[in-house]
Structures are given as C-alpha cells and as structure tokens.
Amino acid sequence: MELLKETIEQKGDVLSENILKVDTFLNHLIEPDLMDEIGKEFARFFRGTRITKVMTIESGGIAPAIMTAVHLHVPLLFAKKAEPSTMTHPLTCSVHSFTKNNDYSLCVEKEAIEPDDRVLFIDDFLANGEAFKGICSLISQAGAELSGVGICIEKAWQNGRQMIDKADIPYLCLASIQSMSPENGIVWSERT
Ligand code: 5GP
C-alpha cells in the first residue's frame, strides 16, 4: 500500500536493524485518514471470506483493526494484556514480546468469541509471530476459526511470515520490509 509505505519513509524512524518506530502515525499519535485507508484495504481483501469478527491486541493493533471492522461491519475484539477483575470467564495465553523482550499474558472474555466465529486477526507489525501464536491459541480455546490475517508492517526476514505461510491462511500485509538499518533506511520487499 503506497500511502503506508510513503508515510513510513517520511515519518518512521529506523531505530535498529530490527526495530522501526512508528509513534507519529500508528503506535502513539494516530493518523485517522491513514487508518481509514488501511481499514478499507483490509476490508476489500477479506470481504469474500465471511469474517464475523476482527481481533487484535492492545494497544498497537486497535487503530487499524477498528477501521477494518468499520468497513467490514463486524465487531472488533481486542485481547487485553492485563486481566481486569470484571472479566468473568477469561481465556488466556502467554506471549513473548518482541519489543520488550519479556512474556506477558493475553486474555479475552470467553463469551466474546463464539464457536461459529470466523476471525480476522489484524495487527500493526509482524515480527517473530508470537502475537499471532497467542491469538491462534485464544481462538482455538474458544472453538472458533482463524479465517484471515492482516498485517500493516511485516519484517520479512523474521520468523512470523514463514509461520503464517505454513498455516495456509488468507494473508495480506500492506508494507513488507526486506531489510532496514539506521544508516541506509528501508528496503521494501514486493511481497504482500
Ligand atoms: P511478534 O509477536 O510477531 O514477534 O511481534 C509483533 C508485535 O510486536 C506487534 O504487535 C508489535 O506491537 C510489536 N513489534 C514487533 N516489531 C516491531 C517494530 O519493529 N516496531 C514496533 N513499534 N513494534 C514492533
């Protein structure tokens, strides 16, 4: 998606060969028109796959995921990183954080996913696929089906892409990075 790639080139900050900072349009300050275009793009791609629910993880995935849900006209469920005392029947799993290098637990209310749900997982980044594994676990605990994965920014050399290719699920990434460095910037991959 050219608009996302241009925004990354103009406003993204390559902190290292593995970390891209996108705090001025996606992860902290959020650019609503860009999120709307991202939502439209995912909705166009997944419209034929009979999605009944969009899922993401707080907080980085929420903006692109809610706009996707708006354009697909389905609810958004975001997995929480801390279990609130108000949650009555939590489904939980443990995830390793790529950026923080620690483990955290994810939880969703059991009643929020139905066994007949066809879930589209949307996230801001795909790195080693740990968040993807966690979401797969929650969906399978609910007896539902993962029917698609949409990623805004994929770092193609890390393990996540291979994991999703193996799972053979409809997949769209809007900006695939082949490599990056603070000195030389970003090299795009043509994969989607
Ligand atoms: P994974 O679970 O695939 O290893 O990593 C994906 C998660 O880690 C995303 O939900 C995102 O929050 C975070 N992440 C991974 N790589 C980056 C990155 O380069 N920049 C930022 N800002 N977040 C990242």
Short mmCIF file of all heavy atoms in Angstrom, two decimals, residues 13 15-23 26-27 56-61 81 95-100 104 121-134 151 153 155 157-161 163-164 177 180, ligand 1:
data_model
loop_
_atom_site.label_atom_id
_atom_site.label_comp_id
_atom_site.label_asym_id
_atom_site.label_seq_id
_atom_site.Cartn_x
_atom_site.Cartn_y
_atom_site.Cartn_z
N ASP A 13 10.91 5.87 11.98
CA ASP A 13 12.27 6.04 12.49
C ASP A 13 12.88 4.65 12.66
O ASP A 13 12.40 3.87 13.50
CB ASP A 13 12.15 6.79 13.84
CG ASP A 13 13.48 7.32 14.31
OD1 ASP A 13 14.48 7.12 13.60
OD2 ASP A 13 13.51 7.92 15.41
N LEU A 15 15.12 2.47 14.25
CA LEU A 15 15.95 2.58 15.47
C LEU A 15 17.12 1.60 15.41
O LEU A 15 18.17 1.85 16.00
CB LEU A 15 15.10 2.28 16.71
CG LEU A 15 13.97 3.25 17.03
CD1 LEU A 15 13.32 2.89 18.35
CD2 LEU A 15 14.46 4.71 17.06
N SER A 16 16.92 0.46 14.75
CA SER A 16 17.98 -0.55 14.63
C SER A 16 17.62 -1.43 13.45
O SER A 16 16.61 -1.18 12.78
CB SER A 16 18.03 -1.40 15.92
OG SER A 16 16.90 -2.26 15.96
N GLU A 17 18.39 -2.47 13.21
CA GLU A 17 18.09 -3.36 12.08
C GLU A 17 16.82 -4.18 12.34
O GLU A 17 16.33 -4.85 11.44
CB GLU A 17 19.28 -4.27 11.80
CG GLU A 17 20.41 -3.46 11.21
CD GLU A 17 21.63 -4.27 10.85
OE1 GLU A 17 21.61 -5.48 11.07
OE2 GLU A 17 22.59 -3.65 10.35
N ASN A 18 16.30 -4.14 13.56
CA ASN A 18 15.10 -4.92 13.88
C ASN A 18 13.91 -4.12 14.37
O ASN A 18 12.82 -4.66 14.49
CB ASN A 18 15.43 -6.00 14.93
CG ASN A 18 16.15 -7.17 14.30
OD1 ASN A 18 15.81 -7.60 13.20
ND2 ASN A 18 17.17 -7.67 14.97
N ILE A 19 14.11 -2.86 14.70
CA ILE A 19 13.00 -2.08 15.29
C ILE A 19 12.73 -0.80 14.49
O ILE A 19 13.62 0.03 14.31
CB ILE A 19 13.29 -1.68 16.76
CG1 ILE A 19 13.55 -2.91 17.64
CG2 ILE A 19 12.14 -0.84 17.32
CD1 ILE A 19 12.33 -3.56 18.23
N LEU A 20 11.48 -0.67 14.08
CA LEU A 20 11.00 0.53 13.40
C LEU A 20 10.03 1.25 14.33
O LEU A 20 9.09 0.63 14.84
CB LEU A 20 10.27 0.12 12.11
CG LEU A 20 9.57 1.22 11.33
CD1 LEU A 20 10.58 2.22 10.77
CD2 LEU A 20 8.76 0.60 10.18
N LYS A 21 10.28 2.54 14.55
CA LYS A 21 9.39 3.31 15.42
C LYS A 21 8.36 4.04 14.54
O LYS A 21 8.74 4.71 13.57
CB LYS A 21 10.23 4.32 16.22
CG LYS A 21 9.44 5.15 17.20
CD LYS A 21 10.40 5.98 18.05
CE LYS A 21 9.63 6.98 18.90
NZ LYS A 21 10.53 7.82 19.70
N VAL A 22 7.08 3.88 14.88
CA VAL A 22 6.03 4.50 14.08
C VAL A 22 5.08 5.29 14.99
O VAL A 22 3.86 5.29 14.79
CB VAL A 22 5.26 3.43 13.25
CG1 VAL A 22 6.15 2.83 12.17
CG2 VAL A 22 4.72 2.32 14.15
N ASP A 23 5.67 5.96 15.97
CA ASP A 23 4.87 6.63 17.01
C ASP A 23 4.19 7.91 16.54
O ASP A 23 3.38 8.46 17.27
CB ASP A 23 5.77 6.99 18.21
CG ASP A 23 5.98 5.79 19.12
OD1 ASP A 23 5.66 4.66 18.69
OD2 ASP A 23 6.46 5.98 20.26
N LEU A 26 1.03 5.71 13.96
CA LEU A 26 0.34 4.43 14.16
C LEU A 26 0.33 3.96 15.62
O LEU A 26 -0.69 3.48 16.11
CB LEU A 26 1.03 3.37 13.25
CG LEU A 26 0.58 1.91 13.32
CD1 LEU A 26 -0.91 1.77 13.06
CD2 LEU A 26 1.35 1.06 12.30
N ASN A 27 1.46 4.09 16.33
CA ASN A 27 1.57 3.49 17.66
C ASN A 27 1.31 4.44 18.82
O ASN A 27 1.22 3.99 19.95
CB ASN A 27 2.96 2.88 17.86
CG ASN A 27 3.08 1.48 17.31
OD1 ASN A 27 4.17 0.93 17.23
ND2 ASN A 27 1.98 0.85 16.91
N THR A 56 -7.67 -8.18 17.61
CA THR A 56 -6.33 -7.62 17.67
C THR A 56 -5.85 -7.65 19.11
O THR A 56 -6.50 -8.23 19.99
CB THR A 56 -6.28 -6.19 17.08
OG1 THR A 56 -4.91 -5.81 16.91
CG2 THR A 56 -6.97 -5.17 17.98
N ILE A 57 -4.68 -7.04 19.34
CA ILE A 57 -4.09 -6.99 20.68
C ILE A 57 -3.90 -5.53 21.05
O ILE A 57 -3.46 -4.73 20.21
CB ILE A 57 -2.73 -7.73 20.68
CG1 ILE A 57 -2.94 -9.21 20.36
CG2 ILE A 57 -2.00 -7.53 22.00
CD1 ILE A 57 -1.67 -10.01 20.23
N GLU A 58 -4.23 -5.16 22.30
CA GLU A 58 -4.00 -3.78 22.69
C GLU A 58 -2.49 -3.52 22.77
O GLU A 58 -1.74 -4.45 23.10
CB GLU A 58 -4.67 -3.49 24.05
CG GLU A 58 -4.08 -4.26 25.21
CD GLU A 58 -4.69 -3.82 26.56
OE1 GLU A 58 -5.40 -2.82 26.62
OE2 GLU A 58 -4.41 -4.51 27.55
N SER A 59 -1.98 -2.35 22.50
CA SER A 59 -2.76 -1.25 22.00
C SER A 59 -2.46 -0.95 20.54
O SER A 59 -3.29 -0.35 19.85
CB SER A 59 -2.48 0.00 22.85
OG SER A 59 -1.08 0.30 22.78
N GLY A 60 -1.30 -1.41 20.06
CA GLY A 60 -0.87 -1.01 18.71
C GLY A 60 -1.78 -1.45 17.59
O GLY A 60 -1.85 -0.80 16.54
N GLY A 61 -2.50 -2.56 17.78
CA GLY A 61 -3.34 -3.07 16.70
C GLY A 61 -4.72 -2.44 16.64
O GLY A 61 -5.45 -2.60 15.65
N LYS A 81 -3.91 -7.10 27.84
CA LYS A 81 -2.63 -7.59 28.37
C LYS A 81 -2.67 -7.75 29.88
O LYS A 81 -1.77 -8.33 30.46
CB LYS A 81 -1.49 -6.66 27.94
CG LYS A 81 -1.20 -6.79 26.45
CD LYS A 81 -0.07 -5.91 26.00
CE LYS A 81 0.23 -6.13 24.53
NZ LYS A 81 1.06 -5.10 23.95
N VAL A 95 2.45 -14.76 25.85
CA VAL A 95 3.07 -14.30 24.60
C VAL A 95 4.42 -13.67 24.94
O VAL A 95 4.54 -12.97 25.94
CB VAL A 95 2.16 -13.23 23.92
CG1 VAL A 95 2.87 -12.56 22.76
CG2 VAL A 95 0.87 -13.86 23.44
N HIS A 96 5.41 -13.91 24.08
CA HIS A 96 6.70 -13.25 24.26
C HIS A 96 6.70 -11.94 23.47
O HIS A 96 6.43 -11.94 22.27
CB HIS A 96 7.84 -14.15 23.81
CG HIS A 96 9.18 -13.54 24.10
ND1 HIS A 96 9.73 -13.53 25.38
CD2 HIS A 96 10.04 -12.87 23.32
CE1 HIS A 96 10.88 -12.90 25.34
NE2 HIS A 96 11.10 -12.49 24.11
N SER A 97 7.00 -10.83 24.14
CA SER A 97 7.01 -9.53 23.47
C SER A 97 8.32 -9.31 22.73
O SER A 97 9.40 -9.38 23.33
CB SER A 97 6.80 -8.41 24.49
OG SER A 97 7.15 -7.18 23.90
N PHE A 98 8.22 -9.00 21.42
CA PHE A 98 9.41 -8.76 20.63
C PHE A 98 10.10 -7.47 21.06
O PHE A 98 11.33 -7.44 21.24
CB PHE A 98 9.03 -8.68 19.14
CG PHE A 98 10.21 -8.38 18.28
CD1 PHE A 98 11.12 -9.37 17.98
CD2 PHE A 98 10.45 -7.10 17.81
CE1 PHE A 98 12.25 -9.10 17.21
CE2 PHE A 98 11.56 -6.82 17.05
CZ PHE A 98 12.46 -7.82 16.75
N THR A 99 9.33 -6.42 21.27
CA THR A 99 9.94 -5.12 21.55
C THR A 99 10.42 -5.00 23.00
O THR A 99 11.40 -4.35 23.29
CB THR A 99 8.97 -3.96 21.24
OG1 THR A 99 7.70 -4.29 21.76
CG2 THR A 99 8.86 -3.70 19.76
N LYS A 100 9.70 -5.67 23.93
CA LYS A 100 10.07 -5.52 25.34
C LYS A 100 10.92 -6.68 25.84
O LYS A 100 11.46 -6.64 26.95
CB LYS A 100 8.82 -5.38 26.21
CG LYS A 100 7.97 -4.18 25.83
CD LYS A 100 6.94 -3.85 26.89
CE LYS A 100 6.14 -2.62 26.54
NZ LYS A 100 4.90 -2.89 25.83
N TYR A 104 4.22 -11.79 28.47
CA TYR A 104 3.02 -11.19 29.06
C TYR A 104 1.84 -12.11 28.75
O TYR A 104 1.92 -12.94 27.84
CB TYR A 104 2.77 -9.78 28.52
CG TYR A 104 2.55 -9.69 27.03
CD1 TYR A 104 1.27 -9.73 26.48
CD2 TYR A 104 3.63 -9.56 26.16
CE1 TYR A 104 1.09 -9.65 25.11
CE2 TYR A 104 3.45 -9.47 24.80
CZ TYR A 104 2.17 -9.52 24.27
OH TYR A 104 1.97 -9.44 22.92
N PHE A 121 -7.56 -11.66 12.18
CA PHE A 121 -6.58 -11.06 13.09
C PHE A 121 -5.87 -9.92 12.37
O PHE A 121 -5.28 -10.13 11.29
CB PHE A 121 -5.56 -12.13 13.54
CG PHE A 121 -4.39 -11.58 14.32
CD1 PHE A 121 -4.57 -10.70 15.38
CD2 PHE A 121 -3.08 -11.95 14.00
CE1 PHE A 121 -3.49 -10.20 16.10
CE2 PHE A 121 -1.99 -11.46 14.71
CZ PHE A 121 -2.21 -10.58 15.77
N ILE A 122 -5.94 -8.72 12.95
CA ILE A 122 -5.25 -7.54 12.39
C ILE A 122 -4.21 -7.07 13.40
O ILE A 122 -4.51 -6.97 14.59
CB ILE A 122 -6.26 -6.38 12.14
CG1 ILE A 122 -7.33 -6.77 11.12
CG2 ILE A 122 -5.55 -5.09 11.75
CD1 ILE A 122 -6.87 -6.85 9.68
N ASP A 123 -3.00 -6.77 12.93
CA ASP A 123 -2.00 -6.22 13.86
C ASP A 123 -1.15 -5.17 13.16
O ASP A 123 -1.11 -5.10 11.93
CB ASP A 123 -1.15 -7.33 14.47
CG ASP A 123 -0.62 -6.96 15.86
OD1 ASP A 123 -0.93 -5.86 16.37
OD2 ASP A 123 0.10 -7.79 16.46
N ASP A 124 -0.47 -4.36 13.98
CA ASP A 124 0.39 -3.31 13.41
C ASP A 124 1.64 -3.89 12.78
O ASP A 124 2.02 -3.53 11.67
CB ASP A 124 0.73 -2.25 14.49
CG ASP A 124 1.33 -2.84 15.77
OD1 ASP A 124 1.38 -4.09 15.92
OD2 ASP A 124 1.77 -2.05 16.64
N PHE A 125 2.32 -4.84 13.48
CA PHE A 125 3.58 -5.41 13.00
C PHE A 125 3.51 -6.93 13.02
O PHE A 125 2.85 -7.52 13.88
CB PHE A 125 4.73 -5.01 13.92
CG PHE A 125 5.31 -3.66 13.65
CD1 PHE A 125 4.82 -2.53 14.30
CD2 PHE A 125 6.36 -3.50 12.75
CE1 PHE A 125 5.35 -1.27 14.05
CE2 PHE A 125 6.89 -2.25 12.49
CZ PHE A 125 6.39 -1.14 13.16
N LEU A 126 4.28 -7.55 12.14
CA LEU A 126 4.57 -8.98 12.25
C LEU A 126 6.09 -9.12 12.35
O LEU A 126 6.81 -8.67 11.46
CB LEU A 126 4.06 -9.75 11.03
CG LEU A 126 4.36 -11.25 11.02
CD1 LEU A 126 3.57 -11.97 12.11
CD2 LEU A 126 4.03 -11.87 9.67
N ALA A 127 6.55 -9.71 13.46
CA ALA A 127 8.00 -9.94 13.63
C ALA A 127 8.24 -11.45 13.71
O ALA A 127 8.33 -12.12 12.68
CB ALA A 127 8.49 -9.20 14.86
N ASN A 128 8.27 -11.99 14.91
CA ASN A 128 8.51 -13.44 15.05
C ASN A 128 7.23 -14.27 15.15
O ASN A 128 7.28 -15.47 15.38
CB ASN A 128 9.41 -13.71 16.25
CG ASN A 128 10.84 -13.30 15.95
OD1 ASN A 128 11.30 -13.47 14.82
ND2 ASN A 128 11.52 -12.73 16.93
N GLY A 129 6.10 -13.62 15.07
CA GLY A 129 4.83 -14.35 15.05
C GLY A 129 4.33 -14.78 16.43
O GLY A 129 3.42 -15.59 16.53
N GLU A 130 4.87 -14.20 17.49
CA GLU A 130 4.45 -14.58 18.84
C GLU A 130 3.01 -14.12 19.12
O GLU A 130 2.22 -14.85 19.71
CB GLU A 130 5.41 -14.00 19.89
CG GLU A 130 6.81 -14.59 19.83
CD GLU A 130 6.83 -16.07 20.19
OE1 GLU A 130 6.07 -16.47 21.09
OE2 GLU A 130 7.60 -16.81 19.57
N ALA A 131 2.70 -12.90 18.70
CA ALA A 131 1.34 -12.38 18.90
C ALA A 131 0.36 -13.25 18.10
O ALA A 131 -0.72 -13.60 18.59
CB ALA A 131 1.27 -10.93 18.45
N PHE A 132 0.74 -13.60 16.88
CA PHE A 132 -0.09 -14.47 16.03
C PHE A 132 -0.36 -15.80 16.74
O PHE A 132 -1.49 -16.27 16.80
CB PHE A 132 0.64 -14.68 14.69
CG PHE A 132 0.08 -15.78 13.85
CD1 PHE A 132 -1.15 -15.62 13.21
CD2 PHE A 132 0.77 -16.97 13.69
CE1 PHE A 132 -1.68 -16.65 12.42
CE2 PHE A 132 0.25 -17.99 12.91
CZ PHE A 132 -0.97 -17.83 12.27
N LYS A 133 0.71 -16.40 17.32
CA LYS A 133 0.53 -17.69 18.03
C LYS A 133 -0.45 -17.53 19.20
O LYS A 133 -1.29 -18.39 19.44
CB LYS A 133 1.88 -18.18 18.59
CG LYS A 133 2.66 -19.01 17.60
CD LYS A 133 3.73 -19.86 18.28
CE LYS A 133 4.86 -19.07 18.87
NZ LYS A 133 5.99 -19.76 19.38
N GLY A 134 -0.32 -16.43 19.93
CA GLY A 134 -1.20 -16.18 21.08
C GLY A 134 -2.66 -16.06 20.63
O GLY A 134 -3.55 -16.65 21.24
N ILE A 151 -1.74 -7.66 8.27
CA ILE A 151 -0.65 -7.02 8.99
C ILE A 151 -0.29 -5.71 8.30
O ILE A 151 -0.15 -5.68 7.07
CB ILE A 151 0.59 -7.96 9.02
CG1 ILE A 151 0.28 -9.25 9.79
CG2 ILE A 151 1.83 -7.25 9.55
CD1 ILE A 151 0.13 -9.12 11.29
N ILE A 153 2.59 -3.79 8.87
CA ILE A 153 4.02 -3.76 8.53
C ILE A 153 4.66 -5.09 8.89
O ILE A 153 4.65 -5.49 10.07
CB ILE A 153 4.75 -2.62 9.29
CG1 ILE A 153 4.04 -1.28 9.07
CG2 ILE A 153 6.22 -2.54 8.85
CD1 ILE A 153 4.52 -0.16 10.01
N LYS A 155 8.09 -7.50 8.86
CA LYS A 155 9.54 -7.53 8.69
C LYS A 155 9.85 -8.94 8.18
O LYS A 155 9.85 -9.91 8.93
CB LYS A 155 10.22 -7.20 10.02
CG LYS A 155 10.00 -5.71 10.38
CD LYS A 155 10.57 -5.35 11.72
CE LYS A 155 9.77 -5.99 12.81
NZ LYS A 155 10.34 -5.80 14.15
N TRP A 157 12.18 -10.81 7.11
CA TRP A 157 13.28 -11.72 7.46
C TRP A 157 13.06 -12.41 8.81
O TRP A 157 13.80 -13.32 9.16
CB TRP A 157 14.61 -10.96 7.48
CG TRP A 157 14.70 -9.94 8.57
CD1 TRP A 157 15.26 -10.12 9.80
CD2 TRP A 157 14.19 -8.60 8.55
NE1 TRP A 157 15.12 -8.97 10.55
CE2 TRP A 157 14.47 -8.02 9.81
CE3 TRP A 157 13.52 -7.83 7.59
CZ2 TRP A 157 14.11 -6.72 10.12
CZ3 TRP A 157 13.16 -6.53 7.90
CH2 TRP A 157 13.45 -5.99 9.15
N GLN A 158 12.09 -11.96 9.57
CA GLN A 158 11.84 -12.59 10.87
C GLN A 158 10.89 -13.78 10.69
O GLN A 158 10.39 -14.01 9.59
CB GLN A 158 11.33 -11.53 11.85
CG GLN A 158 12.43 -10.50 12.12
CD GLN A 158 12.04 -9.38 13.07
OE1 GLN A 158 11.06 -8.69 12.85
NE2 GLN A 158 12.82 -9.21 14.10
N ASN A 159 10.66 -14.56 11.77
CA ASN A 159 10.02 -15.87 11.59
C ASN A 159 8.52 -15.86 11.34
O ASN A 159 7.96 -16.86 10.92
CB ASN A 159 10.26 -16.74 12.84
CG ASN A 159 11.73 -17.00 13.03
OD1 ASN A 159 12.48 -17.02 12.05
ND2 ASN A 159 12.16 -17.19 14.27
N GLY A 160 7.87 -14.72 11.62
CA GLY A 160 6.41 -14.70 11.58
C GLY A 160 5.83 -15.03 10.22
O GLY A 160 4.85 -15.77 10.11
N ARG A 161 6.43 -14.48 9.16
CA ARG A 161 5.88 -14.68 7.82
C ARG A 161 5.86 -16.16 7.45
O ARG A 161 4.87 -16.68 6.92
CB ARG A 161 6.69 -13.87 6.80
CG ARG A 161 6.26 -14.08 5.36
CD ARG A 161 4.81 -13.65 5.15
NE ARG A 161 4.28 -14.07 3.87
CZ ARG A 161 4.08 -13.27 2.84
NH1 ARG A 161 4.36 -12.00 2.90
NH2 ARG A 161 3.57 -13.74 1.71
N MET A 163 5.76 -18.65 9.46
CA MET A 163 4.76 -19.30 10.31
C MET A 163 3.36 -19.17 9.68
O MET A 163 2.60 -20.13 9.61
CB MET A 163 4.78 -18.59 11.66
CG MET A 163 4.26 -19.35 12.81
SD MET A 163 4.37 -18.29 14.27
CE MET A 163 6.04 -18.50 14.80
N ILE A 164 3.05 -17.97 9.17
CA ILE A 164 1.73 -17.75 8.58
C ILE A 164 1.62 -18.47 7.25
O ILE A 164 0.58 -19.07 6.94
CB ILE A 164 1.45 -16.23 8.45
CG1 ILE A 164 1.26 -15.66 9.85
CG2 ILE A 164 0.21 -15.97 7.59
CD1 ILE A 164 1.04 -14.19 9.93
N ILE A 177 8.81 -5.18 4.66
CA ILE A 177 10.19 -4.68 4.68
C ILE A 177 11.15 -5.85 4.48
O ILE A 177 11.08 -6.85 5.20
CB ILE A 177 10.49 -3.97 6.02
CG1 ILE A 177 9.53 -2.80 6.21
CG2 ILE A 177 11.94 -3.49 6.07
CD1 ILE A 177 9.68 -2.10 7.56
N MET A 180 16.34 -3.33 6.85
CA MET A 180 16.40 -1.90 7.21
C MET A 180 17.60 -1.66 8.13
O MET A 180 18.08 -2.58 8.80
CB MET A 180 15.10 -1.44 7.90
CG MET A 180 14.80 -2.14 9.19
SD MET A 180 13.20 -1.66 9.84
CE MET A 180 13.26 -2.46 11.45
P1 5GP B 1 5.68 -10.72 17.00
O1 5GP B 1 4.66 -11.13 18.02
O2 5GP B 1 5.27 -11.03 15.59
O3 5GP B 1 7.04 -11.23 17.32
O4 5GP B 1 5.79 -9.16 17.12
C1 5GP B 1 4.68 -8.38 16.79
C2 5GP B 1 4.33 -7.43 17.89
O5 5GP B 1 5.50 -6.82 18.42
C3 5GP B 1 3.45 -6.35 17.33
O6 5GP B 1 2.17 -6.49 17.93
C4 5GP B 1 4.12 -5.05 17.73
O7 5GP B 1 3.42 -4.49 18.82
C5 5GP B 1 5.49 -5.42 18.21
N1 5GP B 1 6.57 -5.13 17.22
C6 5GP B 1 7.32 -6.04 16.55
N2 5GP B 1 8.24 -5.45 15.81
C7 5GP B 1 8.08 -4.11 15.99
C8 5GP B 1 8.76 -2.95 15.47
O8 5GP B 1 9.72 -3.01 14.68
N3 5GP B 1 8.30 -1.74 15.88
C9 5GP B 1 7.24 -1.61 16.74
N4 5GP B 1 6.87 -0.38 17.06
N5 5GP B 1 6.58 -2.68 17.26
C10 5GP B 1 7.00 -3.92 16.88
#
